Amino acid sequence: MVRFEDITLFVRAAALGSFSHAAREAGLLPGQVSAAIHRLERALDKRLFARSTRSLRLTAEGQLLADSADEVARVLAEVEQAEEIE
């Protein structure tokens, strides 16, 4: 299942171009952001970032998700709220 927090971290990492910067902003360790992105990639069965030791860039699939991330985040937030009510 896709987690709202993972989408949020994906959006920040994509915008900042760095897992480390996204982690600092969220008050997390870079490994926690990396794990969130990995969970998201596994849940979607898509590679979202092309990673190397020196760069981080979105794949074509990652760019598509980033372009629609606001809508995805809104839907996930509604699902989480519905689950809390039950």
Side-chain angles (χ1 to χ4, degrees):
M1 181 172 151
V2 175
R3 297 179 184 185
F4 178 71
E5 298 82 17
D6 295 350
I7 290 283
T8 302
L9 290 171
F10 164 77
V11 169
R12 294 311 303 149
L16 297 170
S18 166
F19 288 178
S20 295
H21 289 121
R24 259 183 254 125
E25 188 178 90
L28 301 171
L29 297 171
Q32 291 172 295
V33 173
S34 181
I37 300 302
H38 182 71
R39 271 193 309 270
L40 184 58
E41 288 176 327
R42 202 171 52 236
L44 298 174
D45 195 29
K46 302 283 183 219
R47 187 106 169 133
L48 301 174
F49 287 101
R51 304 163 177 88
S52 75
T53 55
R54 295 194 164 170
S55 71
L56 179 73
R57 64 179 173 79
L58 290 169
T59 62
E61 292 89 357
Q63 187 62 56
L64 287 172
L65 180 58
D67 291 344
S68 61
D70 289 336
E71 182 65 18
V72 171
R74 185 189 63 75
V75 170
L76 287 174
E78 289 178 8
V79 168
E80 284 188 348
Q81 288 174 349
E83 288 176 345
E84 289 174 5
I85 293 172
E86 294 176 357

